[in-house]
Amino acid sequence: MVMNAIKNRKSVRKYVDKSIEKDVINKIIEAGRLAPSWVNVQPWKFIVVKSQETKDLLCKASGGQPQVKNADTVICCVADLDAWNKTNFGKVLKQKGLDDATCDSIVSSLLLNPSNLGEYETLLRSVEQLTYAVAYMTLEAQELGVGCCIIGATANELTKSNNEIAEEVKQALGLNSRQVLVELLALGYEDNPNQLVPKYRKPVEDVVFEECIS
């Protein structure tokens, strides 16, 4: 069933005028919430946007991509850099039943906690973790018959484009300086669900290799 969702998923940019039920949105969000993450740190926030005013602003921030303003719902996928600090990370580790010494060891580790290396490394790992949640949500949307388009090209700290709009978006979403809007998920019921879209992927022999044993 999962493989069917993977094979059939496509980027949907045109939607019919039909609202997505709240319980359907909740199921999509839940798929992201349950995604795996490094030492279970879960460095993410999801903001559900329904208002046309905010969707218009997000559309402007993403270079005018029409699927953003025309979507029924946009899920803003945010990397939360503070998830790695001693208080927040430690709380998650405590929930796993780890003792204080083990928690301190993990939080202080250069290998397991990128915040000990610097801001860039923290952002890099947070984005990496967030992509797992995004993938889960897109597959759940596919399973539920909801069209989805991932928008990563938007004004933010990663693209370093249009800082003025990026700051306006952060204010509109209530984000602080330690929270980075990484991707948007534009959601809506597809206007042409029977349209087949070929998947152009590199052949297996170009991407899969066996270990060389001498």
Side-chain angles (χ1 to χ4, degrees):
M1 183 171 276
V2 175
M3 185 56 74
N4 286 336
I6 293 172
K7 289 181 176 180
N8 294 324
R9 190 216 64 81
K10 58 185 176 182
S11 295
V12 178
R13 297 179 175 85
K14 293 183 179 180
Y15 317 103
V16 297
D17 185 16
K18 178 184 177 182
S19 296
I20 304 173
E21 300 84 347
K22 185 175 181 179
D23 68 307
V24 172
I25 294 296
N26 289 342
K27 288 177 181 178
I28 294 171
I29 291 288
E30 182 68 357
R33 191 182 72 86
L34 294 176
S37 62
W38 199 348
V39 204
N40 202 35
V41 68
Q42 305 162 70
W44 47 56
K45 305 285 186 186
F46 308 116
I47 302 172
V48 179
V49 172
K50 300 284 288 187
S51 75
Q52 192 59 55
E53 180 181 4
T54 306
K55 286 188 289 186
D56 288 344
L57 175 60
L58 293 172
C59 175
K60 186 177 180 182
S62 61
Q65 297 184 60
Q67 69 269 29
V68 178
K69 67 178 180 180
N70 294 334
D72 173 76
T73 303
V74 175
I75 298 176
C76 297
C77 303
V78 177
D80 181 17
L81 308 191
D82 276 338
W84 302 93
N85 68 32
K86 186 172 183 178
T87 299
N88 295 328
F89 199 0
K91 181 179 178 181
V92 170
L93 295 173
K94 282 284 189 181
Q95 290 175 340
K96 292 169 66 72
L98 301 179
D99 57 57
D100 290 342
T102 302
C103 289
D104 288 342
S105 176
I106 292 174
V107 171
S108 303
S109 170
L110 295 177
L111 180 65
L112 299 176
N113 188 351
S115 68
N116 295 313
L117 298 173
E119 287 293 295
Y120 172 76
E121 289 81 3
T122 305
L123 177 58
L124 180 68
R125 291 304 182 190
S126 298
V127 170
E128 175 197 8
Q129 304 304 294
L130 182 59
T131 58
Y132 305 155
V134 169
Y136 274 43
M137 287 190 283
T138 61
L139 293 179
E140 180 65 7
Q142 175 67 30
E143 282 289 289
L144 296 173
V146 176
C148 177
C149 183
I150 305 171
I151 295 95
T154 188
N156 59 17
E157 292 87 333
L158 295 169
T159 61
K160 300 185 184 302
S161 66
N162 208 324
N163 293 334
E164 185 176 332
I165 291 182
E167 185 57 35
E168 189 177 349
V169 168
K170 288 179 81 78
Q171 291 181 10
L173 297 178
L175 303 180
N176 62 40
S177 61
R178 304 282 296 163
Q179 297 170 331
V180 180
L181 174 61
V182 176
E183 290 172 313
L184 310 173
L185 292 185
L187 301 170
Y189 289 109
E190 187 179 0
D191 73 336
N192 188 6
N194 296 320
Q195 181 182 16
L196 297 178
V197 177
K199 284 185 180 292
Y200 298 103
R201 297 292 188 270
K202 293 179 180 179
V204 172
E205 59 269 21
D206 284 356
V207 297
V208 179
F209 304 91
E210 292 189 5
E211 175 187 22
C212 296
I213 302 176
S214 56

